[in-house]
Amino acid sequence: MKILSILHSFLEKADITGKWKMERIFAGRDRLSADDFYTRYFRDQGYPEDTVIRIKKVFDSNIGFDLSRLSAEDDFSKELNFIWNYDSLSDVEAVVGLEREFGIKIDDSEAGKMKTIKDVVQVVHAKLNNGHSTKSLALHRPF
């Protein structure tokens, strides 16, 4: 019972520390819906809206923090690396989630190069356009 109490206390402290770090990093940023995130960071680059929104949802569901103030350039290997310390399987879960969502395979070297959401969008978009998906592509509107 004592071990469970210690573990619970540790997780509470890690959660509070992680939330504090997120607040510090995202201070002054607007919270964005998935649609607003796409519009702000990807629409003018020609990426399909559906792809970006689905990627963002995979990250939102696999990372235990509010990512509504995330930018396309926030680096998970630098300022956001504490996320992986909080939950060491989050990165694996995010990659597996992307593979399932899009019917693609992301090898370890590709995953290691994906440091920002922009990197993830580029990799997933390239795989979908090169026919690496086992799922049918959703139609998207031209820009």
Side-chain angles (χ1 to χ4, degrees):
M1 215 44 168
K2 178 120 174 128
I3 292 173
L4 289 177
S5 176
I6 292 169
L7 180 60
H8 179 72
S9 176
F10 171 77
L11 291 175
E12 279 183 346
K13 288 178 184 174
D15 188 46
I16 291 167
T17 301
K19 288 178 181 176
W20 177 80
K21 287 181 180 180
M22 292 295 273
E23 280 303 314
R24 193 181 78 226
I25 291 167
F26 294 159
R29 294 189 192 179
D30 295 332
R31 293 185 188 279
L32 301 175
S33 68
D35 291 330
D36 292 336
F37 179 79
Y38 169 76
T39 300
R40 181 172 291 179
Y41 298 114
F42 293 100
R43 183 180 61 196
D44 293 341
Q45 297 175 32
Y47 292 107
E49 182 175 12
D50 179 64
T51 300
V52 174
I53 289 174
R54 288 167 58 198
I55 289 169
K56 181 80 167 54
K57 286 181 181 177
V58 166
F59 272 80
D60 287 342
S61 67
N62 286 289
I63 296 182
F65 293 99
D66 175 13
L67 299 177
S68 65
R69 294 184 284 174
L70 183 73
S71 81
E73 298 292 336
D74 284 328
D75 194 322
F76 286 98
S77 70
K78 293 181 182 171
E79 68 265 14
L80 297 177
N81 68 348
F82 70 90
I83 290 172
W84 312 135
N85 296 331
Y86 175 73
D87 181 355
S88 62
L89 293 178
S90 291
D91 56 344
V92 173
E93 292 167 350
V95 170
V96 170
L98 291 167
E99 290 176 333
R100 287 183 180 150
E101 178 69 26
F102 293 99
I104 59 175
K105 179 71 179 139
I106 299 171
D107 64 43
D108 290 343
S109 67
E110 291 170 317
K113 293 176 187 172
M114 295 188 303
K115 307 216 183 288
T116 66
I117 293 291
K118 183 176 181 179
D119 295 340
V120 175
V121 169
Q122 290 170 342
V123 168
V124 170
H125 180 70
K127 287 186 172 289
L128 294 175
N129 282 339
N130 291 328
H132 291 151
S133 176
T134 58
K135 293 184 177 182
S136 62
L137 293 176
L139 295 175
H140 61 276
R141 59 190 164 109
F143 300 105

